[in-house]
Amino acid sequence: VRQVNQMPESLVVIPFYVENMVLGKVTHDKAQKLVESSSDFRLQDNKLVLQCESTVEARTTAVAKVMDQWRQEGIVTGWRDELYSVQSSFYEEPVFLRERAAVPHLGVLEYGVHMNGIVTNDNGQVQMWMARRSATKSKYPGMLDHIVAGGQPAGLSLLDNAVKECMEEAGIPEEMARSGLQATGAVSYETYSPKHDTITRAVLFNYDLELPTSFVPLPQD
């Protein structure tokens, strides 16, 4: 977490506004490209502003047009066809929705759920299952990961999402997940990728899940 929670001191960021809400952070170059890509984005008083009809649907459409274009140009990669909510904080109403892969290009907060799969063996030792990410993943390919981890899509509660991810990523039955998941807090970080000129701002909701010694996780998706 310390390694990824780093923003270069020399990096100049511009706040991203929708009406009077600060929702994200972008570099000057990224802000300029957004303005060049759509008349719905404007630079005003060193702020990047989304100006369109004040509805969730209109804002979602305005952002989607740009990100679809950037996808075709190869700027946005790892497209998921999965919508995330953009809001000022997790429990606020969505201001607009956006494609998961496009999140860092606006520097808005993204959320996820992460599970520690814990086993107490016959000798009383506490152990943890670890996963290895696919080599074809767009982010952190081939690296170690939690037994279950996933982004928080629009329209799902944290618990329902955690249960869904448990089955998809480790084959953990719903009953086992719902009865055993214990919330343990959250981890947040902010990092800059010079390769893509993007700012990732993430909040990860963490859970512990005690698993039987006989259970062997197996991806289902």
Side-chain angles (χ1 to χ4, degrees):
V1 174
R2 290 192 202 93
Q3 287 178 345
V4 297
N5 189 30
Q6 293 188 27
M7 290 283 286
E9 293 183 4
S10 59
L11 187 67
V12 178
V13 297
I14 294 174
F16 168 47
Y17 275 79
V18 175
E19 296 183 354
N20 62 342
M21 294 173 287
V22 182
L23 296 181
K25 299 178 181 180
V26 295
T27 65
H28 183 273
D29 288 348
K30 183 69 70 174
Q32 191 63 48
K33 185 162 185 61
L34 284 161
V35 171
E36 293 170 356
S37 298
S38 172
S39 58
D40 291 315
F41 287 95
R42 297 182 184 179
L43 276 172
Q44 297 178 351
D45 301 324
N46 207 35
K47 301 173 184 177
L48 175 67
V49 181
L50 178 64
Q51 291 187 330
C52 61
E53 186 181 342
S54 297
T55 65
V56 173
E57 293 76 14
R59 298 185 190 113
T60 298
T61 298
V63 173
K65 286 180 179 178
V66 176
M67 297 308 158
D68 285 340
Q69 176 186 328
W70 285 11
R71 177 191 186 186
Q72 296 173 19
E73 296 174 2
I75 298 172
V76 177
T77 58
W79 198 269
R80 307 288 190 91
D81 286 321
E82 184 177 342
L83 291 177
Y84 276 11
S85 296
V86 176
Q87 60 257 70
S88 56
S89 63
F90 183 75
Y91 292 104
E92 296 296 327
E93 290 297 314
V95 179
F96 63 90
L97 306 179
R98 81 290 190 210
E99 156 64 29
R100 177 176 179 174
V103 170
H105 293 273
L106 292 172
V108 295
L109 281 171
E110 57 183 288
Y111 301 92
V113 291
H114 279 237
M115 268 67 74
N116 298 308
I118 298 171
V119 176
T120 302
N121 67 19
D122 295 337
N123 297 321
Q125 296 173 314
V126 178
Q127 299 176 311
M128 184 184 295
W129 280 101
M130 302 299 293
R132 187 177 296 279
R133 296 174 64 81
S134 166
T136 60
K137 279 286 193 182
S138 60
K139 296 176 68 175
Y140 310 114
M143 299 184 75
L144 294 178
D145 205 348
H146 287 98
I147 184 176
V148 174
Q152 181 64 32
L156 274 183
S157 70
L158 285 171
L159 179 59
D160 286 344
N161 187 35
V163 170
K164 175 182 74 71
E165 293 289 342
C166 278
M167 173 53 72
E168 290 179 355
E169 298 202 343
I172 299 170
E174 179 175 349
E175 182 178 349
M176 184 185 295
R178 287 195 182 277
S179 62
L181 282 168
Q182 298 293 321
T184 60
V187 171
S188 61
Y189 66 88
E190 183 176 86
T191 190
Y192 173 67
S193 169
K195 179 180 179 180
H196 302 103
D197 192 27
T198 54
I199 297 173
T200 296
R201 302 167 62 227
V203 177
L204 308 178
F205 294 99
N206 305 312
Y207 296 84
D208 284 348
L209 179 60
E210 288 274 356
L211 294 167
T213 56
S214 59
F215 179 78
V216 178
L218 184 67
Q220 303 297 308
D221 61 347

